[in-house]
């Protein structure tokens, strides 16, 4: 399973925690620069997009949401904390 994480400059332990939930490929896009939105290529193996709301502007979030909807990929919007992300994953049924 592959996950794309959008936002933040670095993930810290979030990447390891996602891998422990069964995501073997974690791709990170900071979305710091305007051109970063164009790097969001959603592959067929992508089964989730995590958007860190405290690091992404509204325009980028809207663009990401549209692309995810187009590809039928579920999304979660969470703060940059594992607790927030884990809560959202549990609501999706991706519990540890």
């Amino acid at each position: 399973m592959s996950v794309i994480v959008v936002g933040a400059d670095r993930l810290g332990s979030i990447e390891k925690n996602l891998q422990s939930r069964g995501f073997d490929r974690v791709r990170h896009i900071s979305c710091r620069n305007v051109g970063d939105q164009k790097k969001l290529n959603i592959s067929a193996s992508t089964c989730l997009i995590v958007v860190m709301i405290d690091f992404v502007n509204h325009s980028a979030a809207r663009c990401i949401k549209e692309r995810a909807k187009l590809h039928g990929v579920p999304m979660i919007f969470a703060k940059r904390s594992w607790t927030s992300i884990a809560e959202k994953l549990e609501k999706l049924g991706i519990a540890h």
Side-chain angles (χ1 to χ4, degrees), residues 22-88:
F23 295 101
D24 54 350
R25 291 190 11 231
V26 178
R27 195 168 127 222
H28 176 236
I29 301 170
S30 70
C31 256
R32 171 78 66 179
N33 302 315
V34 175
D36 286 349
Q37 294 175 35
K38 294 177 184 172
K39 294 178 185 175
L40 183 65
N41 296 321
I42 301 173
S43 68
S45 65
T46 302
C47 53
L48 179 67
I49 297 175
V50 177
V51 179
M52 294 190 207
I53 56 174
D54 35 0
F55 290 93
V56 175
N57 65 39
H58 291 286
S59 174
R62 187 173 33 256
C63 176
I64 295 160
K65 187 175 181 179
E66 288 171 3
R67 289 186 187 188
K69 194 178 272 189
L70 181 70
H71 292 279
V73 177
M75 297 180 65
I76 60 171
F77 293 90
K79 292 185 178 183
R80 189 190 174 271
S81 76
W82 178 246
T83 305
S84 178
I85 294 169
E87 265 180 29
K88 307 289 180 164

